[in-house]
Structure formats: structure tokens, C-alpha cells
Amino acid sequence: MLTFYLIIVIVLFILAISDLVVGVSNDAVNFLNSAVGSKVASLKWIMIVAALGIVVGCTFSSGMMEVARKGIFHPEHFYFNEIILVFLAVMVTDVILLDAFNTMGLPTSTTVSIVFELLGAAVAISLVKIYTSPDALTLGEYINSAKALAIISGILLSVVIAFTAGMIIQFLTRWLFSFDYNKRIKYLGAVWGGLAIAGITYFMLVKGAKGTSFMTEDVKNAITENTWLLIGASFVIWTIILQIITLFTKIDILKIIVMIGTFALAMAFAGNDLVNFIGVPLAGYNSYEIYKASGAAEGLLMSGLAGRVPTPTLLLLLAGIIMTITLWTSKKARSVVQTSLDLGRQYEGSERFASYPVSRSIVRTFSRASTVINKVLPSSFIKGVERQFDETPFLEKQASLGKDAPVFDMLRAAVTLVVASILISIGTNLKLPLSTTYVTFMVFMGTSLADGAWGRESAVYRVSGVLSVIGGWFFTAFSAFTMAFIVATIFFFGGPVAIVAILILAAFVIYRTHRYHGKMEEEKKAKEESLYSTPLTKEVVVQKSSTHINTHVQRMNEIITTTFDQLSQEDLKGLNKTYKAFKKLKKKTVALKSGVNQAFNNVSEDQIESVHFYALVVDYLDEMADSVGEISKQSLLHIDNHHTTLLPDQIDDLKKVHQLVVEKSGKIYTAYDQLDQQHVSSLLKVLEEVIEQVRKTRSIQIKRIKKHEVGAKNSVLFLNHLAELRNIALFSNRLVRILDDLILNDKD
């Protein structure tokens, strides 16, 4: 059995490497979003600074490793063969869950996942012991409920504190400096920066040093005894350095603060979260060492895990190197960062999340409260605040930079980094594995709210996004507990066969999610390059419009044809599948519309009309997609409600009208491709054929109604489809009309 358990320990470390990879991909958002969003430097330099922070921070994690061994359950009440299964179940669950969230681009908490996985697996084995052994203890004696509750409470409390602290400090900072902060930075920036860096120094060095694996006790005591001296010296030195830089160079001191903050937050992340990735495998290895030293005694209780076991510095550094390599190579890390940036950007645009009733209610409530408060406050105070929070300087700078513009300024980035670093470091000092994701994300949301980033155009969607992410956190806790509980139970009763089967399944799931994410990234990249990779001249816009028309209209016609065939056969399953295909098409047309504002921002003055033409094209395509959606949806509902389907003659009538539409759409593509005036003029007359066919078909339907050949539901569906086909033909005609008016006969 010793060999078998050695294999399990090796598997734990292999899973630890995988966990480090997926964990960093998820948590990169914590220390990258501020620097990347403000574009403080090139991505290369941001990555270098963050990587250095990770490597240094890893050596601060030694004290945190105790959480995995005895923070959630009492190891002295578990036998070795039981506890090793707990650790294995936790690692398998963690890798699968984090990889799934990374694939979706949602930042989740590695801390919450590991805590609830340990809890779920430990509860599973505890219940097995309780129901199979007459000498078993109670569940409360197996589980360290007090410590677990303290950890969970600390995590939840940190969400509220982080959001509130970020909002208040950002409001005060913006009130002090405004969006046009360059003048005041010259006089107040050095003092403000000195305070910020002194705060980071205190919490990262003075408090964080207690957990290091390489400092001697004498050094730690010397640091503790000279705390205030170090803080004061740090403040004075950094204030002087920043003031000199401000007076005698053109270097923006906010860049220095943001880069130092990025280093500090990466360091805090590694110091606090490394336990989430390698704490469990190390605990498994310690358990194996105790088991081996006992002579592989059966029925060995893991009392040895209850003591303090130091973690080798070399092992911590190795973990840091793996995390650093992942940071440079992971595409999923950038997907998760993008979600955070979308929710915190200063301007509105294509909002990723939909509007929920609860988010609308929250925004409406706070809007009313704001109105009431503004009536009470002096008008001079309100005007002063509005003046300080005027976004015009930032928006003008953003417009001048085009697609290279930051999504928010460096002042907000600096506040986010400083506040998040300090809060996380406090948690590390208190040996509470606070979620760096929760803290950083909520600080970031608080600073963006205080900065006025959630305006009326985007507030509802931003709140929906925050609620979605927070909901994902609760789902993380529930799914982590449940999945670890199930996996641990399977391992206990299934033995080696079950362990091998679950490991193979986990590898397959991760492989599938990686393929899925790669496909999504390729589609996203193609979409971004489709519009902005070349200058938006008239010729380029017409060519891209031609491509969109050919691709999307062809897909629309395929969906309509398939829908009519499935409707005639009463194929409910097929109609469901076709409607899902339509929703994918609709997402693409919506994405095209959402990119129009960015297109206007990135185009020169003399080419604005070209983008105007493009905006009309994608708008008409979206309207046509809506009509296709109505045909698909109403057909699905008709059959799903078990109504009598259309008569064969009715299906044929609809297909005749649709055939005319198909012929017209094919000619539209030719018109855009050849830009032939004569062809366009003749095509504008084709609409009359479609309209005339619609009239004839409607007359035939009216005769059917009079003869009582069809019922009310039949007529509603048939006439709805006729109307939508007519709408598609009308918007097709508009595509030809704007080509004639804005391109072929453009007097300018």
C-alpha cells in the first residue's frame, strides 16, 4: 500500500502544477486589471513587474500553509487512508472548477473554492465514519467549525469592506485631484504618493514579514520593533523622490505608483493565495511522510498534522516560477481580465451583461436617493463636486488616442492597487485566507462607481455584471462543496478503480474546455480584426459590408428554409435546435452594432460618412435578424403548444415568397461586390415583385379563413410569417438604397 499512496502523492503534485496554472489564469485579474486598464506601460513591462511580485510573494506564504492542514478539519481524528482521499478529492475538484470558470471568463475565488472543497470532502468522509463506525465522534468534532466559520465570515465581510473602502477613498482622491489632475499632481502628488507607498511598505514588509520562510526571528523582531521608524522613513524618502521626479523630469509619478502597486498586489496575491494551490499537496506529502515514518501502520491517526510544519523556501520559489510562466502564456488570464475591465471602464459601450429586474430596481432606488440628497445639499457644494468629477479631460484624451486609449485613468488605477494591497495584506497578517479576487474586484467596482463610470447609459448593465460575478462566487461555494463531497465519497467506496476513472474524466473535461476557449478566442480575434485591422476608407467599408451581407443573409435564409421544413413536419426538436442557431446569429449582428461607436472613434473626419454607411448596413442586418427570429420563435411556440401545423399549400405559399427574397438577397451581394449602377437600379424594382406576391398570398389566406379551412391560431402564424418576410424584403431594399445614395451617387 505504501507504493499506492506514494503514487497518490505524486498525482497530488501533478494536480498542484495544473492548479497553479488554472489558478493564476483566474487570479491574474487581481493584479493586472489596474495596470492594463490604465495602460500605464506596455504589457511586457506590466508582466515583468507582476512576475517579480509573484516570485517575491511566494516566500511570504509559509505561515498560510497551515490552513490546508488544520484550518477546516481536525486531522488528529482522521486516519491516513481517509485524509489522503480528502486531499485528492479537493485537488481534482479544484482543477475542474477553476478551469470551467476561466473558460467562461468569470473571475471566481480560489480561496472560497479551496475552503469549501476541504469542507465538502471532510464532511463526506466524516459522515462515512459516523455511519460505519460505532466508535465515531460527532460531526462537530471532526470539522473545525469555528475556524471555518471565521474564514467564511472574513471572506464575506471583506466584500463589503473592500467595496466601501474603494468607493470612499476614490471619491476623496478624485475630489482632490479631479480628472484634469496634472496641475495638482505637481504640488500634492508627491505627498499623496508617499503616503500610498508608505502604506504598502508597512503592510507588505512589516506585517507580511511574519510569514516569510527565509527571515530569522531576530530580523523579524527588529522589523517589528522599528515599525513606525520604517513607516516614517518610507514616507519621507518616497515623498522626496517623487517630488524630485515631478520637478526635474517629465515622468508621470502616477506611473511609478501604479507599477509599485502592481508589484505589491502581485506579491500580496502570491503570499495569500499560494496556499490555495500547493497547500493541499504539501499537506498530503506531510501526511505520507508521517505514515512512512510509522512503518506504514494501519489505523494511523494524523495527529502530526496538527503541529507546525515549515515549508521549504525552494519549493515556494518553484511554485512562483510556475505561476510566472503561466502568467506570460495563459490566454484565459486575459479573458478574465477583460471581464473586469468591461465592468469598470469609464465610458459606456457594448455591455457584456444583460439587464436584470433586480439591477434595474437597485439603480432606480439609488437614483431616487441621490435626487433626495442633492436637494438637501448646498448648490455650491454640488457644483464643486460636479466640477471635480467632470470627465471631459479624460474623454478628450481618450478620443485623441483612439484604439490605444485606456479604459480609465491612472489615478483610479493607483487608488485601486493601493487599497486592495493594504486590505489583502491585513488578511494575510491575520492568517485569514481572504479572497484576493473578492477584495480586488470589489475595490475596483467601488472605485469605478465613485468615479462616475456607472452612468445612466451603463449603470444597469454594470450592476447586472457585478451581481452575476457575485452570484458566481456563491455558486463556486455551493458547487465546490457538493462536487468535493461526491468525489470524496466515490473515492472512498470505489477505491483505486474509481480514482483512475475520475482522474481520466477530469483530464478529458479540461481538454474539452481548452478547445472550447481556443475556439472562442479565435472568433473574438477575427471579429476584432474584421473592422479595425485596416483604415476605414469607403472601399474598405463597402468590402466589409459586402462580406457581412453575404455571410449573415445567407445564414438567415438557411434558418428560414429549415424552419418551414420543420414546421411542416411538426419537428419540435428540430425547431428548438434551429431557434438556438438563430440566437447565435443574433449575437453576431448585435456585436456588429455594438462595434459601430468604436468605429466612429477610430476614423478620421473625412471618412465619417463611410462609417455612417457601415452603421446603417449592420442596423438593417440586425432588423432582418429580428424578423428571422420571429419566424423561428413563433413556429417553435406553435408546435410546442401542440397546435395544428400549417397546411401543405400554406407552406408552399410561404416558400414561394421566401424564394423571391432569397433571389433578391443574392443580387444584393452582387451589387455590393460589383458596384454597378445599372444593376442597383434594376434591383430596386425587384421589391415590387415580393410585395405583390405577399398580397396575393394574403388574399389566398383570407379565402381560406372565409371557407373555414383554417383556424385562428393557423391564421395568426401564417400572417405573422408573411409580415416578417415582407419586413426582410423591405430592409433588403434599404441595403440597396443606401448603396445607391451614399456610395454610388455620393456627391462628396
Side-chain angles (χ1 to χ4, degrees):
M1 289 299 290
L2 194 64
T3 304
F4 172 71
Y5 290 127
L6 177 61
I7 293 172
I8 290 182
V9 171
I10 293 171
V11 170
L12 282 175
F13 277 99
I14 293 173
L15 290 172
I17 295 173
S18 178
D19 210 24
L20 282 168
V21 172
V22 296
V24 173
S25 298
N26 177 81
D27 283 4
V29 65
N30 302 334
F31 48 85
L32 289 182
N33 59 3
S34 294
V36 173
S38 63
K39 296 203 172 179
V40 64
S42 66
L43 185 61
K44 175 184 176 182
W45 281 106
I46 293 172
M47 290 289 199
I48 290 173
V49 171
L52 290 173
I54 288 175
V55 172
V56 174
C58 283
T59 61
F60 282 63
S61 290
S62 183
M64 294 293 294
M65 294 300 162
E66 297 176 29
V67 174
R69 291 186 291 105
K70 59 180 181 179
I72 305 301
F73 55 87
H74 296 290
E76 63 270 20
H77 298 317
F78 289 85
Y79 297 116
F80 170 71
N81 65 315
E82 296 168 340
I83 211 165
I84 201 71
L85 293 182
V86 169
F87 293 147
L88 185 60
V90 166
M91 292 305 295
V92 170
T93 303
D94 203 49
V95 170
I96 293 175
L97 276 184
L98 291 182
D99 188 69
F101 272 89
N102 292 346
T103 301
M104 293 185 288
L106 290 175
T108 190
S109 169
T110 55
T111 304
V112 166
S113 63
I114 205 75
V115 166
F116 278 89
E117 284 154 6
L118 283 166
L119 189 60
V123 167
I125 300 300
S126 299
L127 290 177
V128 170
K129 289 166 67 70
I130 290 171
Y131 287 105
T132 58
S133 174
D135 300 324
L137 305 174
T138 63
L139 184 62
E141 292 175 285
Y142 286 118
I143 305 299
N144 189 352
S145 55
K147 182 66 174 179
L149 185 61
I151 292 172
I152 294 167
S153 301
I155 290 170
L156 295 177
L157 186 62
S158 69
V159 171
V160 179
I161 293 174
F163 183 82
T164 306
M167 181 174 61
I168 293 173
I169 295 175
Q170 177 62 33
F171 179 84
L172 295 175
T173 304
R174 185 65 71 187
W175 195 6
L176 177 65
F177 290 103
S178 80
F179 278 93
D180 189 15
Y181 52 76
N182 290 328
K183 293 180 180 178
R184 294 195 180 188
I185 283 290
K186 292 181 180 179
Y187 306 104
L188 301 174
V191 176
W192 182 82
L195 283 171
I197 298 174
I200 292 173
T201 301
Y202 172 69
F203 287 105
M204 296 306 297
L205 178 61
V206 178
K207 293 297 185 182
K210 291 183 179 181
T212 57
S213 58
F214 59 87
M215 285 189 184
T216 63
E217 289 300 321
D218 291 338
V219 174
K220 293 179 183 179
N221 292 334
I223 291 174
T224 304
E225 291 170 2
N226 296 284
T227 295
W228 291 107
L229 178 62
L230 287 170
I231 295 172
S234 175
F235 169 68
V236 172
I237 292 170
W238 276 108
T239 300
I240 293 172
I241 292 173
L242 294 177
Q243 190 63 55
I244 292 172
I245 291 172
T246 301
L247 294 176
F248 300 105
T249 71
K250 294 183 179 181
I251 298 174
D252 189 343
I253 63 171
L254 285 178
K255 290 187 176 182
I256 298 173
I257 297 171
V258 171
M259 293 302 271
I260 291 175
T262 299
F263 174 86
L265 198 54
M267 186 175 168
F269 152 73
N272 190 80
D273 276 16
L274 187 59
V275 63
N276 301 337
F277 311 132
I278 68 171
V280 170
L282 281 175
Y285 176 71
N286 292 336
S287 302
Y288 175 78
E289 288 288 291
I290 295 170
Y291 176 70
K292 182 180 177 182
S294 70
E298 294 298 325
L300 175 67
L301 291 171
M302 288 290 101
S303 303
L305 286 183
R308 185 176 178 84
V309 181
T311 306
T313 302
L314 184 61
L315 191 58
L316 295 174
L317 286 173
L318 180 61
I321 291 170
I322 295 172
M323 294 165 79
T324 302
I325 294 171
T326 302
L327 183 65
W328 278 88
T329 58
S330 174
K331 293 182 179 179
K332 290 188 178 182
R334 296 173 191 180
S335 299
V336 180
V337 170
Q338 189 58 49
T339 298
S340 183
L341 295 182
D342 285 343
L343 291 173
R345 63 171 180 260
Q346 193 66 36
Y347 55 91
E348 74 275 359
S350 175
E351 302 295 343
R352 173 175 176 178
F353 295 91
S355 171
Y356 303 145
V358 64
S359 61
R360 293 194 290 270
S361 177
I362 290 172
V363 171
R364 195 176 295 112
T365 300
F366 276 91
S367 179
R368 290 171 180 169
S370 175
T371 303
V372 172
I373 293 171
N374 285 339
K375 289 181 180 179
V376 177
L377 295 173
S379 58
S380 58
F381 175 81
I382 295 174
K383 289 180 181 178
V385 172
E386 290 177 348
R387 185 169 56 253
Q388 293 300 98
F389 282 79
D390 182 9
E391 302 176 9
T392 304
F394 172 77
L395 296 177
E396 289 176 350
K397 178 182 178 182
Q398 196 176 47
S400 66
L401 292 174
K403 65 179 182 180
D404 295 324
V407 296
F408 48 83
D409 65 11
M410 283 185 285
L411 191 67
R412 198 213 299 179
V415 172
T416 301
L417 289 164
V418 170
V419 175
S421 295
I422 291 173
L423 290 177
I424 294 167
S425 300
I426 291 173
T428 304
N429 174 58
L430 297 175
K431 297 287 180 67
L432 287 175
L434 295 181
S435 168
T436 55
T437 304
Y438 287 13
V439 171
T440 312
F441 181 82
M442 294 310 295
V443 167
F444 187 50
M445 292 301 101
T447 57
S448 62
L449 175 62
D451 236 7
W454 298 6
R456 293 191 65 172
E457 296 296 324
S458 60
V460 170
Y461 309 105
R462 304 288 175 87
V463 173
S464 294
V466 173
L467 293 177
S468 296
V469 173
I470 293 176
W473 295 345
F474 283 102
F475 177 74
T476 299
F478 173 78
S479 55
F481 179 91
T482 305
M483 188 173 174
F485 183 97
I486 294 171
V487 172
T489 305
I490 293 173
F491 283 169
F492 187 88
F493 290 106
V497 175
I499 292 173
V500 172
I502 295 293
L503 289 174
I504 293 173
L505 178 63
F508 175 74
V509 169
I510 293 171
Y511 168 74
R512 292 284 296 180
T513 57
H514 274 274
R515 283 195 61 183
Y516 174 71
H517 184 267
K519 186 178 180 181
M520 288 197 305
E521 285 297 302
E522 288 176 5
E523 291 176 356
K524 181 180 177 182
K525 184 177 180 181
K527 185 176 71 177
E528 290 174 349
E529 292 178 348
S530 65
L531 187 58
Y532 309 116
S533 56
T534 54
L536 294 178
T537 62
K538 181 185 292 186
E539 292 75 16
V540 170
V541 166
V542 172
Q543 187 272 325
K544 292 184 182 298
S545 298
S546 174
T547 301
H548 291 325
I549 290 170
N550 184 45
T551 302
H552 291 87
V553 173
Q554 182 179 352
R555 187 71 185 112
M556 291 178 198
N557 287 328
E558 290 173 358
I559 290 173
I560 293 173
T561 300
T562 305
T563 298
F564 288 161
D565 290 338
Q566 292 164 343
L567 180 63
S568 65
Q569 299 166 10
E570 299 188 53
D571 182 2
L572 180 60
K573 185 177 179 180
L575 287 168
N576 259 307
K577 186 177 180 180
T578 302
Y579 186 60
K580 289 179 181 178
F582 156 73
K583 288 195 284 189
K584 290 181 180 179
L585 173 69
K586 177 63 179 176
K587 284 183 180 179
K588 293 179 180 179
T589 59
V590 169
L592 289 176
K593 284 187 68 173
S594 301
V596 169
N597 277 354
Q598 190 175 348
F600 275 112
N601 290 334
N602 296 335
V603 75
S604 59
E605 288 289 334
D606 59 331
Q607 297 295 338
I608 287 181
E609 280 304 313
S610 298
V611 181
H612 177 218
F613 167 77
Y614 176 80
L616 290 173
V617 169
V618 298
D619 185 52
Y620 295 156
L621 286 175
D622 189 58
E623 293 285 357
M624 292 167 69
D626 286 337
S627 293
V628 174
E630 275 300 299
I631 292 173
S632 177
K633 182 180 179 181
Q634 295 306 321
S635 298
L636 172 62
L637 291 174
H638 188 86
I639 299 301
D640 198 20
N641 288 324
H642 207 60
H643 298 315
T644 304
T645 190
L646 300 182
L647 301 173
D649 288 345
Q650 290 177 299
I651 297 292
D652 290 339
D653 290 342
L654 290 175
K655 286 184 175 181
K656 287 178 183 177
V657 176
H658 181 232
Q659 184 57 38
L660 290 175
V661 173
V662 171
E663 292 173 4
K664 181 178 175 65
S665 61
K667 293 176 181 178
I668 292 172
Y669 171 70
T670 304
Y672 271 73
D673 188 50
Q674 297 179 358
L675 297 179
D676 181 19
Q677 178 67 65
Q678 187 174 359
H679 181 79
V680 169
S681 300
S682 63
L683 186 55
L684 287 170
K685 300 177 183 179
V686 176
L687 177 66
E688 297 176 6
E689 298 177 19
V690 180
I691 301 300
E692 182 60 30
Q693 186 63 40
V694 169
R695 287 176 185 154
K696 290 180 180 178
T697 307
R698 188 182 291 115
S699 298
I700 294 172
Q701 177 66 9
I702 292 172
K703 292 177 182 178
R704 292 193 187 103
I705 295 172
K706 286 186 175 181
K707 294 179 180 179
H708 302 287
E709 294 178 1
V710 294
K713 298 294 184 183
N714 177 293
S715 294
V716 169
L717 182 67
F718 184 82
L719 295 175
N720 169 78
H721 287 2
L722 269 185
E724 297 302 343
L725 288 172
R726 182 177 180 274
N727 288 339
I728 293 172
L730 287 170
F731 282 111
S732 298
N733 211 56
R734 292 181 185 179
L735 287 172
V736 181
R737 180 69 67 186
I738 60 173
L739 179 66
D740 187 40
D741 293 344
L742 300 181
I743 302 298
L744 298 179
N745 295 309
D746 180 13
K747 295 179 181 179
D748 294 334

